[in-house]
Amino acid sequence: MNRNSHALLIACLLTLAGWGTTGIQAAEPQNTPADLFVLGGELSNSAATSVEDIDEVMPRMKALGLNTVLVPAYWELMEPQEGHFDFTLIDRTIEQARQLQLKVVFLWFGAWKNSMSCYAPLWFKQDTKRFPRARTQYGKPLEIATPFSEQVFQADNKAFEALVKHISQTGSDVVTMIQVENEIGMLEDARDHSKLANEVYQKGVPQELVSYLKKNQKTLHPWLKARFDAKGKTWTEVFGDDIYTDEIFMAYYYAKYVGRLCETALRYTQMPLYVNAAMNSRGRQPGQYPSAGPLAHLIDLWHCGAPQLLCLAPDIYDTGFKGWANQYALQNNRLFIPESRCCENSGARALYAFGEHRALGFSPFAIDQASPSETESVTKAYNLLRQVYSLNSPLTSWGLLFDQEDKERIINDGDMVITCRHYFTLPWDPRATNGSVWPEGGAILLKLGNNEYLLAGTGVVVAFASAYEKAHEQQQLLGEDGFVVAGSPSSISHLPSAIFKGSRKGIASVDEVTIDKQGKMHRLRRLNGDQDHQGRHARIACGEWRILHVRLYDYN
Ligand code: DGJ
């Protein structure tokens, strides 16, 4: 893989792609490394708990076409006895990755994993006097260590420090990022009601937080901005009297805890650090979902408490992939998706994330346990992305992602109007109309120059028109032979407004290409006639994964 050209492409995307169709022009987050390009896969939770399993799984990850494997680092196995560290699993992961020319992102399963302290060693779990627990408002202790205990922090921090130090000494050529904890958040209640937590809560909102929010008022997340009243002193005076204020309180202190861990790590490495979040989905309330995790609406609390973080990363399992991704592709947060359900649609989603949001990475979860039909699309999409990212010219890109409900997107690119649709909007595949669930269609669309585009993906059809021509267009229903169905509005009209006075876009050529590591395109075949509907569109069928080089010309 040509890392330099990746870096150059990403740098160009950063400059030119802006914020996709959102139109937001934003300053780049300060600490974004230019060359992060994670074609990832996250191992299932217990996949790296023995040397044998690591040896078995890592080559399989290579064969799937990943460039990065996200691997847990388990506190309980790393420090089974207090103060005695065992890096066997970490070392084996690094050795395997090095041999296979893979990169690794380690996930610190430390004090919290999916809210719980299940990966803390037993000596920690059993000693609740030294390492007190979070409690519900009814006093029920949880298997969640309280972040308000200095002993909890010191124990977690000591192990995290040992891990980062070890990685910096033995694996800095392989390890590209570290995830700090895993899906932090309070469950069963919106906030911790332990004695330590209540003492902190009673002190009111720290001046540091009020000053931060005042200073950054212009860029605050609208949700927080609407709640924030700088004149107050107590948590409810400043943020309102409801359950979300409990979440805000908790988010600030979780973030401060993480910020201290980041400070520790930065003593040994400049490696990017990030946190991942379980989504606040399905109409749940804080505490029903992991309250106070690194969620989009809490981003300012997290930025205030842990400014060292590269990004807040969404774990997207819910329906509505695009909507969740859009929430985390913010002007002050680059999109990185460390977990997403591994399924037949994963590949299409990856193309969307990179194309639309120039994501830092994408990674289906438990990819080691997925079936070949589930991993196939990932392999195919990553193969396309690798090729596209080796182009080294400045590019603007868009991401396409379609399903049965959301099947069309119109892109306005200067005078060019690009109508992008799901492949099944064409009548040529029986699955389009026979009641089958449509597989998602996804692609990255890149502008190579005037009248020149690259379409890399699956299950999409793209037509090009001048703005004038598009405005003049009438919807017509096509039969499977490509001709207009009788009774559909005809383009033959005798109204004066039907007189055509502008220019049109025609297809000069559609070539299926490959792109080599130096960024040079090679034509595999010319697609004309039936394959571009006699010059009307460029398309990639569902189940096919292709790169099409499309050239247009103007005529009148
Ligand atoms: C999200 C967690 O981060 C993962 O470790 C795993 O538990 C998945 N959920 C399971 O769906």
Coordinates of all heavy atoms in Angstrom, one line a residue, residues 42-45 72 107 109 113-114 119 179 182-183 276-278 315 317 339 365-366, ligand 1:
E42 N -13.0 -5.3 13.9 CA -12.7 -5.5 15.4 C -13.0 -7.0 15.7 O -14.0 -7.6 15.3 CB -13.6 -4.6 16.2 CG -13.4 -4.8 17.7 CD -14.0 -3.7 18.6 OE1 -14.0 -2.5 18.1 OE2 -14.4 -4.0 19.7
L43 N -12.1 -7.5 16.5 CA -12.2 -8.9 16.9 C -13.3 -9.0 18.0 O -13.5 -8.1 18.8 CB -10.9 -9.4 17.6 CG -9.7 -9.5 16.6 CD1 -8.5 -10.2 17.4 CD2 -10.0 -10.3 15.3
S44 N -14.0 -10.2 18.0 CA -15.0 -10.4 19.1 C -14.2 -10.4 20.4 O -13.0 -10.5 20.5 CB -15.7 -11.7 18.9 OG -14.7 -12.8 18.7
N45 N -15.0 -10.1 21.5 CA -14.4 -9.8 22.8 C -13.4 -10.8 23.3 O -12.4 -10.4 23.9 CB -15.5 -9.6 23.8 CG -16.3 -8.4 23.6 OD1 -17.4 -8.3 24.2 ND2 -15.9 -7.5 22.8
P72 N -8.8 -6.2 21.6 CA -8.8 -5.9 23.0 C -7.5 -6.1 23.8 O -6.8 -7.0 23.5 CB -9.9 -6.8 23.6 CG -10.7 -7.3 22.4 CD -9.7 -7.3 21.3
L107 N -7.6 -1.8 22.2 CA -8.8 -1.3 22.9 C -8.6 -1.6 24.4 O -8.5 -2.8 24.8 CB -10.1 -2.1 22.5 CG -10.2 -2.4 20.9 CD1 -11.4 -3.3 20.7 CD2 -10.3 -1.1 20.2
F109 N -9.6 -2.4 27.5 CA -10.7 -2.9 28.4 C -10.2 -2.8 29.8 O -9.7 -3.8 30.4 CB -11.0 -4.4 28.0 CG -11.8 -4.6 26.7 CD1 -11.9 -3.6 25.8 CD2 -12.3 -5.9 26.4 CE1 -12.7 -3.8 24.6 CE2 -13.1 -6.1 25.3 CZ -13.2 -5.0 24.4
K113 N -15.9 -1.6 30.5 CA -16.1 -2.2 29.2 C -17.7 -2.3 29.1 O -18.3 -3.0 29.9 CB -15.4 -3.6 29.1 CG -15.4 -4.1 27.7 CD -16.6 -5.0 27.4 CE -16.6 -5.3 25.9 NZ -17.9 -5.9 25.6
N114 N -18.3 -1.6 28.1 CA -19.7 -1.6 28.0 C -20.3 -1.2 29.4 O -21.1 -1.9 29.9 CB -20.3 -2.9 27.6 CG -19.9 -3.3 26.2 OD1 -18.8 -3.0 25.7 ND2 -20.8 -4.0 25.5
Y119 N -13.9 -6.3 33.1 CA -12.5 -6.7 32.7 C -11.5 -6.2 33.8 O -10.3 -6.4 33.6 CB -12.1 -6.1 31.4 CG -12.6 -7.0 30.2 CD1 -13.9 -6.8 29.6 CD2 -11.9 -8.1 29.9 CE1 -14.3 -7.6 28.6 CE2 -12.4 -9.0 28.9 CZ -13.6 -8.7 28.2 OH -14.0 -9.6 27.3
Q179 N -7.7 2.9 21.9 CA -9.0 3.2 22.4 C -9.0 3.2 23.9 O -8.6 2.2 24.5 CB -10.1 2.3 21.8 CG -11.5 2.6 22.3 CD -12.5 1.5 21.9 OE1 -12.8 1.3 20.7 NE2 -12.9 0.7 22.8
N182 N -13.9 1.2 27.0 CA -14.8 0.7 25.9 C -16.2 1.1 26.3 O -16.7 0.6 27.3 CB -14.6 -0.8 25.7 CG -15.4 -1.3 24.5 OD1 -14.9 -1.2 23.3 ND2 -16.6 -1.7 24.7
E183 N -16.9 1.8 25.5 CA -18.3 2.2 25.7 C -18.5 2.6 27.1 O -19.4 2.0 27.8 CB -19.2 1.1 25.2 CG -19.3 1.0 23.7 CD -20.4 0.2 23.2 OE1 -21.2 -0.4 24.0 OE2 -20.6 0.2 21.9
N276 N -15.0 5.3 22.3 CA -16.2 4.9 21.5 C -17.5 4.9 22.4 O -17.4 4.9 23.6 CB -15.9 3.5 21.0 CG -15.9 2.4 22.1 OD1 -15.4 2.7 23.2 ND2 -16.3 1.2 21.8
A277 N -18.6 5.0 21.7 CA -19.9 5.2 22.3 C -20.9 4.2 21.9 O -21.1 3.9 20.7 CB -20.4 6.6 22.1
A278 N -21.7 3.7 22.9 CA -22.9 3.0 22.6 C -24.0 4.1 22.3 O -24.1 5.1 23.0 CB -23.3 2.2 23.8
D315 N -20.4 3.6 17.8 CA -20.5 2.2 17.5 C -21.9 2.0 16.9 O -22.9 2.2 17.6 CB -20.4 1.3 18.7 CG -19.0 1.3 19.3 OD1 -18.1 1.7 18.5 OD2 -18.8 0.9 20.4
Y317 N -24.8 0.1 15.4 CA -25.5 -1.2 15.2 C -27.0 -1.0 14.8 O -27.6 -1.9 14.3 CB -25.5 -2.0 16.5 CG -24.1 -2.5 16.9 CD1 -23.3 -1.7 17.7 CD2 -23.7 -3.8 16.5 CE1 -22.0 -2.2 18.0 CE2 -22.4 -4.2 16.8 CZ -21.6 -3.4 17.6 OH -20.3 -3.9 17.9
E339 N -16.9 0.2 15.5 CA -17.8 -0.9 15.5 C -19.0 -0.7 14.7 O -19.6 0.4 14.8 CB -18.2 -1.2 16.9 CG -17.1 -1.7 17.9 CD -17.7 -2.1 19.2 OE1 -18.8 -2.7 19.3 OE2 -17.0 -1.7 20.2
F365 N -17.7 -5.2 13.6 CA -17.4 -5.8 14.9 C -17.6 -7.4 14.7 O -18.4 -7.9 14.0 CB -18.4 -5.4 16.0 CG -18.2 -6.1 17.3 CD1 -17.1 -5.8 18.1 CD2 -19.1 -7.0 17.7 CE1 -16.9 -6.5 19.2 CE2 -18.9 -7.7 18.9 CZ -17.8 -7.5 19.7
A366 N -16.7 -8.1 15.5 CA -16.7 -9.5 15.5 C -16.6 -10.1 14.1 O -17.2 -11.1 13.8 CB -18.0 -10.1 16.2
Ligands
DGJ1 C1 -20.4 -3.1 21.8 C2 -19.1 -3.4 22.5 O1 -18.3 -2.3 22.4 C3 -18.5 -4.6 22.0 O2 -17.3 -4.9 22.8 C4 -19.5 -5.8 22.0 O3 -19.9 -6.0 23.3 C5 -20.7 -5.4 21.2 N1 -21.3 -4.2 21.7 C6 -21.7 -6.6 21.1 O4 -22.7 -6.2 20.3

